Amino acid sequence: MKFLVIGDSCIDRFTYGNCDRICPEAPVPVFVPQYTKDNGGMAQNVQANIQALGVECDVITNTGQMSVKERYVDDKTNQLLLRVDECVKITDKFSCNGIDYDEYHTIVVSEYNKGFMSEQDIHSICERHDSVLLDTKRQLQLPLPDNLKYIKLNQHEWELNKHHLWKYPENLVERLIITRGSEGCVFNHKLRPSPKTREVQDLSGAGDTFLAGFAVSRATGDTISRALEFAMECASIVVSKRGVSTVEGSSIKTIKQCIVAGID
């Protein structure tokens, strides 16, 4: 089984340091950097999560200079002090040419609406493959591709879309997943509660982990209910870690056993 992720990417940079006093010139914290950690963000983070779940995965993304999302974090408390975005215009564009779609079991489109892909690109991918999952930051336009399997939106993205999707066809209800953070997720008009609450260290990348967990679980034959539980459990694990993280391979069997046994 092999996956393909398509979408925009960036660099997620975390600079950790000490913050022990307030600046005497202004009421702002004084931050002393100690070390920095970089991760591939957005589409590359989805790919990393799928690979961490034991599935081979390729990625098609922008390859030039990337935007950087830099977060300054107090090392002792893990408190986020500041985020600075260094935005770079994406000049290379996605092309369907040369992709062997038959090589891939599932295609995950992680589209952050930064310029790498267009609405037509998403439709073209769905026309060429019958197992496509979409996570997009753009406002959805009707009609959606008939063979688009699932669409994942977070609560904010759903708020942006719901006013023109209220008239969506009934079959979209069976494909639409709305993630709601610690509350869980909504599928088929039903709120599915999140698993046992863990101490939250960092929410960065949790949506990417949820998307990867759901896609892999469904591809391996799990029911939608189990796939949603698996995805939420994976996301709850990464938010208990610092920075952008993936689920450790050793955790997967335990997660599966808990879901099958109905244990939080």
Side-chain angles (χ1 to χ4, degrees):
M1 186 167 61
K2 189 175 183 181
F3 279 31
L4 173 65
V5 172
I6 305 173
D8 325 70
S9 290
C10 71
I11 296 172
D12 279 322
R13 176 169 295 157
F14 290 81
T15 297
Y16 294 94
N18 297 327
C19 182
D20 297 324
R21 62 191 181 95
I22 299 296
C23 176
E25 292 93 359
V28 294
V30 176
F31 181 77
V32 182
Q34 298 295 323
Y35 63 97
T36 297
K37 182 178 180 181
D38 285 358
N39 297 89
M42 302 195 301
Q44 287 186 345
N45 188 44
V46 177
Q47 179 199 25
N49 276 275
I50 291 171
Q51 291 173 330
L53 291 169
V55 176
E56 185 179 359
C57 184
D58 293 337
V59 66
I60 297 177
T61 188
N62 45 296
T63 57
Q65 185 179 4
M66 292 188 182
S67 297
V68 178
K69 299 178 184 177
E70 185 163 11
R71 299 164 177 88
Y72 293 88
V73 184
D74 179 55
D75 197 28
K76 288 184 291 186
T77 64
N78 206 51
Q79 177 67 49
L80 176 64
L81 302 175
L82 179 68
R83 171 173 149 177
V84 178
D85 287 4
E86 180 186 336
C87 298
V88 176
K89 184 177 180 180
I90 295 177
T91 56
D92 46 340
K93 305 296 182 181
F94 170 73
S95 173
C96 284
N97 297 331
I99 302 175
D100 182 4
Y101 287 92
D102 293 335
E103 184 180 357
Y104 301 103
H105 179 281
T106 299
I107 295 179
V108 178
V109 178
S110 179
E111 201 271 319
Y112 277 74
N113 198 22
K114 300 297 184 183
F116 180 66
M117 303 181 71
S118 67
E119 185 85 20
Q120 185 55 48
D121 289 331
I122 297 171
H123 280 258
S124 297
I125 293 167
C126 292
E127 290 170 359
R128 292 167 168 81
H129 202 281
D130 61 3
S131 183
V132 180
L133 283 74
L134 172 64
D135 183 4
T136 180
K137 304 301 181 187
R138 72 172 66 239
Q139 189 175 68
L140 296 168
Q141 301 298 320
L142 296 175
L144 296 170
D146 290 334
N147 56 345
L148 180 60
K149 272 203 167 182
Y150 297 102
I151 306 160
K152 186 195 83 68
L153 303 175
N154 62 31
Q155 185 63 33
H156 174 68
E157 293 155 1
W158 168 242
E159 294 295 332
L160 295 176
N161 279 281
K162 69 179 183 181
H163 300 295
H164 72 284
L165 287 183
W166 65 269
K167 55 185 177 181
Y168 54 73
E170 190 63 26
N171 67 344
L172 180 55
V173 176
E174 300 171 354
R175 297 184 286 168
L176 180 63
I177 302 167
I178 305 168
T179 56
R180 297 177 60 172
S182 60
E183 294 181 25
C185 67
V186 175
F187 180 75
N188 203 9
H189 299 304
K190 180 182 178 182
L191 176 63
R192 296 163 186 264
S194 182
K196 183 171 63 176
T197 304
R198 289 182 170 86
E199 181 181 356
V200 175
Q201 289 283 333
D202 200 323
L203 292 171
S204 306
D208 297 333
T209 303
F210 179 99
L211 180 65
F214 179 80
V216 170
S217 188
R218 283 294 284 157
T220 54
D222 285 340
T223 64
I224 293 176
S225 293
R226 284 188 178 176
L228 291 171
E229 291 178 30
F230 180 75
M232 287 190 289
E233 183 66 36
C234 290
S236 74
I237 288 176
V238 298
V239 299
S240 66
K241 302 179 181 181
R242 281 187 168 195
V244 176
S245 303
T246 59
V247 179
E248 297 295 336
S250 59
S251 303
I252 307 306
K253 185 176 180 181
T254 302
I255 296 172
K256 289 277 190 179
Q257 289 172 340
C258 289
I259 291 171
V260 171
I263 302 171
D264 285 338

